[in-house]
Amino acid sequence: MPIDLRSDTVTQPSPAMREAMSRAEVGDDGWGEDPTVNRLEALMAERAGKDAACFVASGTMGNLSSLLATCGRGREAILGDQSHIVHYEAGGASALGGIIFHTVPTRPDGTMPLEAIEAAIRPRADWYAEAGVICLENTHNRCGGVVISPDYMAQVADIAARHGLPLHLDGARLYNAAIATGRSITDWTRHATTVQMCLSKGLAAPVGSLVAGSRDVVARVRRARRVLGGGMRQVGVIAAAGVVVLTEMVDRLAEDHANARILADGLVRLPGIHLDRASVQTNIVIFALAQGLDPRAFIEGLKREGVLVVDMGGGRLRAVTHYGITADDCRRALDVCVRVLHACGAEQVAHHRGVVDALDGRR
């Protein structure tokens, strides 16, 4: 089996999930009668400190449903230019909701300058599109899985409240942020009008996300889900895996974070690799190759030896640790990196083949 570090979306459901799915009690969720879905949604609402939650097919559907529920047509969603919603969600908010993306520069720590958010909220005038919602992302994917602090989110929430705007949190990996900081997810969710959390990334469910918020806003999210074709029937067979996620899989995210540090500690010592070690706070490691080394050749070389990473564009590569990836897998991946870098022409890489063994004494 390859060491698949492309994403934490490649996880396989745990044995406990498979067992729960096989035994799930089901009903028609379109009528609100699936007891397993109802249990999952109630559990998520409780964990997030919200009135209600809605089970959706994916994080993209969760984000889109949230924007459709909170931002009117022809209004602007203010969000970072490196956000997942902008880069990886097919422009759905614009195509289906008539929502305009008003992007603000994203800093390396995943935040947007507060003054830039303020400036993006246009004054009321006939010729301006009005602001409709502010969006944050935590952890921040394209910034290397960095954690956005609750204090920063509170500051953005203050801006939103002063302007009468909802605040949406794309918290696809919010539990990673919570585990990395030792905080409760409510330290973030209490500031959000809507929050989307993914079950099928590091938490390892086979499918699904949840949107939590007030009862009224979740009712609008549920209607938007229906408009998007996401109204489901006997869906308790997959919601059962989500119940296992929330009761058994959260704390183990710390293992993924430790394995990401093994990768980062090894990569940062290799000639030909550029990596900001301080940015590796959770389970995502983003790095770049030195000038003159071909990222495509490097990725293909790794693939031939059974290690998979993903091209993030702009010369950056990403490796993500997750359920099913062990510390030994990370050390083997580092050893493969050494060989492939040498084959790609990185100077003196051959002298660093002992880096993996050296790391064993540092953990």
Side-chain angles (χ1 to χ4, degrees):
M1 292 290 292
I3 300 172
D4 194 342
L5 301 172
R6 291 173 299 172
S7 176
D8 44 10
T9 62
V10 303
T11 51
Q12 297 288 308
S14 70
M17 290 182 199
R18 295 177 187 271
E19 176 67 16
M21 292 167 71
S22 71
R23 295 179 178 272
E25 185 180 2
V26 300
D28 192 322
D29 184 49
W31 293 100
E33 295 174 353
D34 190 301
T36 307
V37 173
N38 293 343
R39 181 187 175 198
L40 174 62
E41 291 177 343
L43 185 59
M44 187 70 263
E46 178 185 6
R47 296 284 179 89
K50 298 296 186 183
D51 296 335
C54 179
F55 184 47
V56 295
S58 68
T60 294
M61 181 180 283
N63 285 334
L64 179 52
S65 297
S66 297
L67 295 186
L68 293 176
T70 58
C71 184
R73 296 185 68 86
R75 302 188 76 181
E76 294 188 329
I78 298 169
L79 70 179
D81 62 355
Q82 295 302 308
S83 66
H84 191 280
I85 292 173
V86 168
H87 281 267
Y88 304 119
E89 299 188 8
S94 299
L96 303 179
I99 296 169
I100 304 160
F101 289 158
H102 188 145
T103 58
V104 172
T106 305
R107 295 186 292 204
D109 66 356
T111 65
M112 298 175 282
L114 296 175
E115 61 276 13
I117 297 174
E118 287 269 14
I121 302 172
R122 305 179 195 273
R124 290 185 178 273
D126 290 345
W127 48 88
Y128 288 137
E130 293 184 7
V133 65
I134 300 172
C135 302
L136 295 177
E137 181 179 331
N138 201 14
T139 63
H140 201 291
N141 176 26
R142 286 180 62 84
C143 291
V146 294
V147 176
I148 310 303
S149 75
D151 290 342
Y152 173 79
M153 188 161 177
Q155 292 177 300
V156 177
D158 285 343
I159 294 173
R162 280 193 280 105
H163 293 275
L165 296 174
L167 176 59
H168 173 63
L169 175 60
D170 175 3
R173 295 183 176 93
L174 185 59
Y175 269 116
N176 288 94
I179 292 297
T181 59
R183 307 283 291 261
S184 166
I185 63 168
T186 56
D187 288 349
W188 291 274
T189 59
R190 65 190 177 93
H191 300 296
T193 308
T194 49
V195 55
Q196 179 273 127
M197 285 173 281
C198 191
L199 302 173
S200 63
K201 290 188 169 66
L203 294 172
V207 65
S209 288
L210 289 151
V211 176
S214 70
R215 200 166 304 281
D216 287 346
V217 77
V218 169
R220 297 198 300 272
V221 167
R222 197 175 299 278
R223 178 173 176 81
R225 181 189 73 169
R226 179 75 176 193
V227 170
L228 298 173
M232 298 179 281
R233 301 301 178 184
Q234 288 72 28
V235 74
V237 292
I238 53 176
V243 174
V244 174
V245 159
L246 295 182
T247 56
E248 298 183 15
M249 299 295 285
V250 171
D251 289 343
R252 65 147 305 280
L253 292 173
E255 179 182 341
D256 299 338
H257 299 174
N259 288 339
R261 287 190 290 273
I262 291 174
L263 279 177
D265 285 344
L267 288 169
V268 77
R269 297 174 61 189
L270 293 179
I273 297 287
H274 298 311
L275 184 150
D276 177 9
R277 177 62 181 79
S279 72
V280 183
Q281 300 173 11
T282 54
N283 67 323
I284 298 176
V285 181
I286 291 182
F287 59 99
L289 300 183
Q291 187 173 5
L293 295 177
D294 184 353
R296 290 172 297 180
F298 181 69
I299 291 171
E300 286 302 313
L302 293 181
K303 184 177 180 179
R304 284 193 294 272
E305 294 209 38
V307 175
L308 306 179
V309 300
V310 72
D311 187 349
M312 293 290 285
R316 301 192 310 159
L317 310 178
R318 187 185 73 172
V320 184
T321 54
H322 50 80
Y323 178 64
I325 294 295
T326 68
D328 284 343
D329 288 333
C330 293
R331 286 189 285 270
R332 287 197 295 271
L334 285 170
D335 201 31
V336 171
C337 285
V338 170
R339 293 196 296 272
V340 174
L341 281 169
H342 182 54
C344 289
E347 293 181 358
Q348 300 179 344
V349 169
H351 298 294
H352 291 257
R353 290 187 57 88
V355 65
V356 179
D357 294 335
L359 287 173
D360 286 336
R362 294 179 54 190
R363 287 194 303 279

